[in-house]
Amino acid sequence: MALKTTPLTHFHRRQGARLVDFSGWEMPLHYGSQIEEHHRVRRDAGVFDVSHMLAIDLEGAGAEALLRRLLSKDVGRLARPGAALYALMLNEDGGIVDDVIAYQRGPAAFRVVVNAGPAEKDLAWIRRHGAGLSVTMTPRRDLAILAVQGPNARRRAAEALPAAAALLQGLARFQAAEADGAFVARTGYTGEDGCELMLPAERAEGVWRRLLDAGVAPCGLGARDTLRLEAGLNLYGQDMDEDVTPFECGLGWAVDLDGTRDFVGRAALAGARPRWQRLGLVLEDKGVLRHGQRVETAAGEGLVTSGGFAPTLGRSIALARVPLGVAPGASVSVAIRDKMAQAKCVQPPFVREGKPCIALLSGGDSARSIRNNP
């Protein structure tokens, strides 16, 4: 089956990006150096083509009721257009169907952005639960999505989009607004400041070029993955899926069990006893932590859900699903090929807004969470 393409795939190819299959999409892995792109985002600004993700517009008298039923957080608390929240779609057992960002666009209008891999499953799930409600669902495959991230991202984006400059400079976190034909949201997936631009597909290449002219570095999904791993952000399909509850992958904060609002999965979560917890690992021996590696702890076996080299820290790190009772500071062993390597447990995130959140101790052979073990 042919890979899907974004409005920018042809441009990425012409610019020399290395293109790979990502969830059935032909996407840029990097533009020459994944490490350099990572550092550009941490230190300045980079732009990612994330048009494989899907924006879904929900409009009609039943739109709010549908999302209040579907999401783990209450969209009813989004008091004005542009307000946004991060939430989960859950199944009846409390497993995670997908994680989303929902934006209020008006009294009866919302935009929900879902991940690329489960997008078709999500559409079917929303249609199923919207049956009988007065809701129009519009998948916006006509939009491109550009994520501009880094400490200078909004300033450089304002240079590239002068008609939206005032909006970009004044936008609060987790807020969005529409200007110059673009939906601009101060959200992201790298642990840095920045914004996500949703705009008509035919404008994508022009805006991408202007961002590069403003000094923003083109970045691929390789750097996006190391940035989100350092930020301790879950990846759907690895760190969370339909067999794991939010409490078992560090997302209990994204579930609102207060009040009487009934939502899919609430009953299961209300009586749930977590089997696992999520912790971070910092490798102390040689090697690289990878998804799927076995973790041995004093409380039993666990699993590396995401792992890799952290360019900001110069160490290999991971997110792991480990038994209850394992605490930050504990030493564990990880099966790397045919050897057991030592790692230290920490509380994610590892890096946020360019600054390490863990301390690497003397000799580079140990680590501790700054936040939890001052």
Side-chain angles (χ1 to χ4, degrees):
M1 182 179 294
L3 296 176
K4 301 174 186 175
T5 59
T6 79
L8 286 166
T9 301
H10 65 289
F11 181 76
H12 298 315
R13 186 179 295 110
R14 290 202 308 269
Q15 296 298 307
R18 181 186 174 191
L19 299 171
V20 298
D21 179 353
F22 181 83
S23 296
W25 290 79
E26 188 175 17
M27 300 296 293
L29 180 64
H30 59 70
Y31 272 82
S33 171
Q34 177 178 329
I35 298 293
E36 177 58 26
E37 291 165 18
H38 178 107
H39 289 314
R40 284 292 297 271
V41 174
R42 283 277 181 255
R43 299 166 182 168
D44 191 349
V47 57
F48 303 87
D49 176 14
V50 291
S51 304
H52 57 317
M53 299 178 70
L54 179 61
I56 304 169
D57 286 346
L58 300 166
E59 299 181 354
E64 181 171 324
L66 172 59
L67 292 178
R68 295 193 77 215
R69 172 67 178 157
L70 273 181
L71 301 184
S72 61
K73 285 281 190 179
D74 188 0
V75 297
R77 76 183 200 186
L78 300 178
R80 60 184 177 83
L85 58 75
Y86 174 87
L88 306 168
M89 286 198 295
L90 304 172
N91 61 27
E92 289 81 358
D93 296 326
I96 300 173
V97 175
D98 201 0
D99 66 328
V100 309
I101 294 180
Y103 303 91
Q104 201 238 58
R105 302 184 68 208
F110 295 85
R111 173 166 292 171
V112 177
V113 179
V114 305
N115 286 300
E120 295 304 319
K121 177 185 71 172
D122 293 347
L123 287 170
W125 186 255
I126 296 170
R127 284 195 187 97
R128 171 185 163 188
H129 288 278
L133 295 175
S134 179
V135 181
T136 299
M137 182 174 76
T138 307
R140 298 299 304 273
R141 286 294 184 205
D142 58 316
L143 297 180
I145 307 178
L146 309 183
V148 191
Q149 298 283 289
N152 297 323
R154 287 188 299 134
R155 178 173 64 81
R156 294 193 182 279
E159 293 174 15
L161 299 166
L167 165 65
L168 282 160
Q169 296 296 356
L171 204 59
R173 292 183 185 275
F174 259 76
Q175 294 287 322
E178 300 186 48
D180 192 25
F183 186 85
V184 182
R186 194 175 172 189
T187 50
Y189 189 55
T190 62
E192 295 294 334
D193 193 8
C195 58
E196 294 174 304
L197 311 173
M198 304 177 207
L199 65 167
E202 60 271 20
R203 292 184 58 195
E205 183 174 329
V207 171
W208 184 279
R209 288 180 181 275
R210 292 204 297 276
L211 287 167
L212 301 193
D213 290 343
V216 179
C219 299
L221 296 186
R224 187 170 169 84
D225 194 55
T226 54
L227 289 158
R228 73 92 193 165
L229 177 60
E230 288 187 342
L233 300 173
N234 285 354
L235 176 64
Y236 191 81
Q238 290 190 186
D239 305 296
M240 54 183 167
D241 54 42
E242 293 199 43
D243 294 324
V244 179
T245 72
F247 304 125
E248 296 172 320
C249 58
L251 291 175
W253 61 270
V255 178
D256 185 4
L257 291 175
D258 295 334
T260 59
R261 181 179 64 97
D262 190 21
F263 56 89
V264 178
R266 175 178 180 131
L269 292 183
R273 293 185 177 181
R275 301 160 295 174
W276 308 97
Q277 63 176 326
R278 188 192 76 151
L279 285 178
L281 302 181
V282 177
L283 186 64
E284 297 178 323
D285 289 335
K286 293 182 179 178
V288 179
L289 298 171
R290 299 291 189 195
H291 168 75
Q293 292 169 339
R294 177 170 50 88
V295 181
E296 292 186 357
T297 80
E301 289 190 359
L303 182 76
V304 171
T305 53
S306 287
F309 179 74
T312 304
L313 301 174
R315 304 288 292 272
S316 185
I317 62 171
L319 299 176
R321 195 174 298 152
V322 298
L324 303 179
V326 181
S331 293
V332 300
S333 299
V334 183
I336 300 179
R337 297 182 178 176
D338 58 347
K339 296 182 179 179
M340 299 305 293
Q342 296 301 300
K344 185 74 74 177
C345 294
V346 299
Q347 188 67 50
F350 303 89
V351 178
R352 186 58 58 91
E353 295 188 339
K355 298 179 180 178
C357 300
I358 63 169
L360 300 175
L361 301 184
S362 60
D365 60 355
S366 193
R368 62 180 171 84
S369 304
I370 295 174
R371 181 177 301 168
N372 294 286
N373 299 295

